[in-house]
Amino acid sequence: MCLGIPGRIVDRRDDAGLPVGTVDFGGVRREVCLAYVADEASVGDYVVVHVGFAISKVDEEEAHRTFQVLREMSQLDELDWMADLADAAEGVQP
Amino acid sequence: MKYLSEYRDPALARTLVDRILRTSTKRWTLMEVCGGQTHTIVKQGIHEVLADAVEMIHGPGCPVCVTPLEQIDRALHLAARPDVIFTSFGDMLRVPGSECDLFQVKARGGNVRIVYSPLDAVELARRHPDREVVFFAVGFETTAPANAMAVWRARELGVDNFSVLVSHVTVPPAMVAILEDPGNRVQGFLAAGHVCTVMGWEEYDPLAERYAVPIVVTGFEPLDILEGIWMAVVQLEEGRHEVENQYVRSVRREGNRPAQELVSRVFHVVDRGWRGIGTIPASGLGLRPEFAAFDAERKFDLHHIRAEEPAECRAGDVLRGHIKPFECPAFGGACTPESPLGAPMVSTEGACAAYHNFGRFQAAAAGGA
Ligand code: SF4
């Protein structure tokens, strides 16, 4: 019910005083009310859409940062894992 | 799709799972508040792979599931009126009322229509000035701005054949009710990312402090949920209890101010009944007196419609985390998604339906959950 899906704003217009626009969700396009992100989101930005309303602009920088942290974590774990393997291998050597 | 598929990366998920398993020195009990997260957790089997480190309790965060029987009966009553076009989000249609559901009313000739946005209901009212169009305004804080806008727009455009049947609930009072419960076992929360997108997380600071529980604002994709769980486990291991934000790409500390503003112009805080739980003080939103003309309860004089919840349904215990869905005697027998007894079996976000649909309950039962 609280489903929110990210999509990209492809156009923006005014519907009798209400800011609305078309948002592209990976190929599917829908009309979305932009009133709650009117000051921050423009054409080309990603927004999170819930029941036909954009409720936030996706912060691309933060999104990338989250990934970087996760990737580094994963690489570190891989290094740890290789180190463990190396230790284990050493253990069996005479 | 950008900002979606990346958050389902299995390799990164594995990393997080390993971290959580390695970090926890004991089995912690966490509650995810939002039904959307319950759905993902059970579908992906996250609660199973993490079973040694955390027990996930599925919270009351499905607005469909907690809408009181009484409000459903009122909706059914309205939908059956020949002068009414009753509009609703799709997931409300199969929620059982005392006698039937909205689908059945529709099958018997009631004019029931599913809308994607509440503004579509206002548009419908404009196109049918000879009919009364009623919109079933349910939801958490996430949906309140959309529903508030519909009422606001209707007034602005002078659409006076539009009204709303309101059953809005808010999350923090439910968390307090859970924490205050003498049987509470929850040690940390994943707060609902889209609720916080609208509301921010300032309200949660006093809760984390007062009840000494970590609260991590969390998104909805598998990686979001795993990272949220990981952050909560780290806090618990370190003896901290703070509000942290995992869902940074969407949630700002102060939330969405323009949305909050319109919500507080149209709605005010009221006591609300939660299906299976009962009334929680100051736990919902109702229309402000200035908007009484758009209040379906007043317009159609619905206050006399009252209902008793069926005793067999243990939804209250499930929603409070006292029992798992498969521990309810009716689960899978008298109560299935095809013929649900209680609301948590209806919505795909309801805990009972999630366990039933993904057939995870046997494994979970065997694991002693
Ligand atoms: S299984 Fe059905 S009857 Fe039991 S708690 Fe869930 S919804 Fe209610």
Side-chain angles (χ1 to χ4, degrees):
Chain A
M1 167 92 216
C2 289
L3 194 67
I5 300 173
R8 199 171 53 88
I9 303 177
V10 292
D11 69 51
R12 221 188 117 138
R13 50 192 193 281
D14 178 279
D15 174 15
L18 196 67
V20 296
T22 310
V23 173
D24 181 291
F25 303 93
V28 180
R29 293 186 169 200
R30 285 221 106 130
E31 167 141 328
V32 163
C33 175
L34 299 174
Y36 297 130
V37 295
D39 293 341
E40 48 170 3
S42 10
V43 171
D45 286 335
Y46 277 81
V47 285
V48 174
V49 176
H50 170 71
V51 298
F53 283 72
I55 53 171
S56 70
K57 176 180 156 181
V58 176
D59 187 328
E60 308 211 11
E61 238 168 75
E62 284 291 0
H64 288 137
R65 217 176 51 84
T66 305
F67 262 102
Q68 228 157 343
V69 171
L70 287 177
R71 288 223 180 83
E72 276 165 22
M73 222 191 247
S74 153
Q75 277 159 7
L76 270 182
D77 282 3
E78 223 160 278
L79 286 179
D80 275 358
W81 181 70
M82 288 197 303
D84 284 353
L85 267 191
D87 287 351
E90 260 168 44
V92 293
Q93 263 158 28
Chain B
M1 199 187 300
K2 219 176 165 194
Y3 301 115
L4 218 48
S5 51
E6 308 94 300
Y7 292 92
R8 297 174 183 172
D9 182 312
L12 293 184
R14 192 69 238 168
T15 301
L16 280 165
V17 166
D18 288 344
R19 290 238 161 183
I20 295 163
L21 293 174
R22 268 190 286 137
T23 307
S24 58
T25 55
K26 56 177 276 200
R27 192 167 190 240
W28 301 103
T29 304
L30 300 180
M31 175 179 275
E32 86 278 2
V33 173
C34 175
Q37 293 169 337
T38 302
H39 182 86
T40 303
I41 287 171
V42 179
K43 183 174 180 185
Q44 307 289 335
I46 289 174
H47 60 308
E48 288 173 4
V49 291
L50 295 180
D52 289 338
V54 288
E55 177 189 346
M56 297 305 299
I57 293 184
H58 315 299
C62 159
V64 176
C65 303
V66 300
T67 301
L69 187 58
E70 210 155 83
Q71 282 313 75
I72 307 285
D73 282 356
R74 290 172 179 176
L76 294 169
H77 170 86
L78 286 176
R81 281 176 66 125
D83 57 336
V84 165
I85 300 177
F86 194 83
T87 56
S88 165
F89 296 129
D91 29 8
M92 295 307 291
L93 264 62
R94 289 195 50 247
V95 180
S98 295
E99 257 136 46
C100 61
D101 59 31
L102 283 166
F103 259 126
Q104 285 162 302
V105 173
K106 188 176 159 73
R108 286 179 213 146
N111 200 339
V112 178
R113 302 206 195 168
I114 295 174
V115 291
Y116 159 70
S117 156
L119 289 178
D120 298 343
V122 179
E123 190 46 41
L124 206 57
R126 281 176 83 177
R127 279 192 275 120
H128 296 272
D130 53 326
R131 295 292 196 93
E132 282 292 333
V133 173
V134 183
F135 175 67
F136 203 174
V138 299
F140 279 117
E141 291 94 323
T142 319
T143 318
N147 294 350
M149 183 65 87
V151 176
W152 186 262
R153 263 314 252 187
R155 191 175 72 169
E156 216 170 49
L157 303 172
V159 186
D160 55 15
N161 60 327
F162 175 78
S163 61
V164 282
L165 177 62
V166 183
S167 195
H168 261 289
V169 279
T170 52
V171 169
M175 286 167 73
V176 169
I178 286 159
L179 288 163
E180 290 279 350
D181 191 300
N184 172 52
R185 297 189 297 124
V186 177
Q187 294 168 300
F189 284 97
L190 304 188
H194 289 141
V195 167
C196 296
T197 295
V198 170
M199 298 307 293
W201 72 79
E202 283 155 348
E203 294 176 273
Y204 295 104
D205 283 328
L207 290 187
E209 185 57 41
R210 174 145 174 239
Y211 297 97
V213 284
I215 301 176
V216 181
V217 179
T218 303
F220 296 83
E221 294 303 321
L223 282 190
D224 290 322
I225 291 171
L226 285 168
E227 193 181 22
I229 294 174
W230 184 63
M231 289 164 78
V233 166
V234 168
Q235 282 203 48
L236 286 164
E237 288 289 338
E238 292 174 357
R240 288 186 290 121
H241 45 84
E242 292 157 24
V243 183
E244 290 181 318
N245 181 17
Q246 180 278 329
Y247 198 34
V248 278
R249 64 187 184 281
S250 179
V251 180
R252 326 272 122 84
R253 185 183 170 75
E254 69 286 354
N256 185 327
R257 290 282 194 222
Q260 291 165 21
E261 213 165 280
L262 197 76
V263 168
S264 64
R265 281 198 193 181
V266 173
F267 295 119
H268 62 164
V269 174
V270 297
D271 297 348
R272 273 268 172 235
W274 293 55
R275 192 168 189 163
I277 295 181
T279 299
I280 303 178
S283 69
L285 300 173
L287 282 175
R288 284 189 176 278
E290 306 93 279
F291 292 91
F294 297 92
D295 185 351
E297 281 174 55
R298 225 183 77 130
K299 202 174 205 175
F300 300 97
D301 190 24
L302 301 177
H303 296 281
H304 65 279
I305 300 179
R306 302 253 160 225
E308 288 291 327
E309 292 178 12
E312 310 118 274
C313 177
R314 304 276 306 274
D317 291 324
V318 170
L319 299 177
R320 271 183 298 228
H322 288 177
I323 62 166
K324 292 277 190 278
F326 50 80
E327 291 170 304
C328 167
F331 180 88
C335 181
T336 61
E338 291 69 42
S339 72
L341 267 186
M345 191 55 101
V346 173
S347 159
T348 55
E349 295 179 2
C352 300
Y355 274 71
H356 198 276
N357 292 342
F358 302 116
R360 304 272 184 188
F361 54 92
Q362 287 127 337

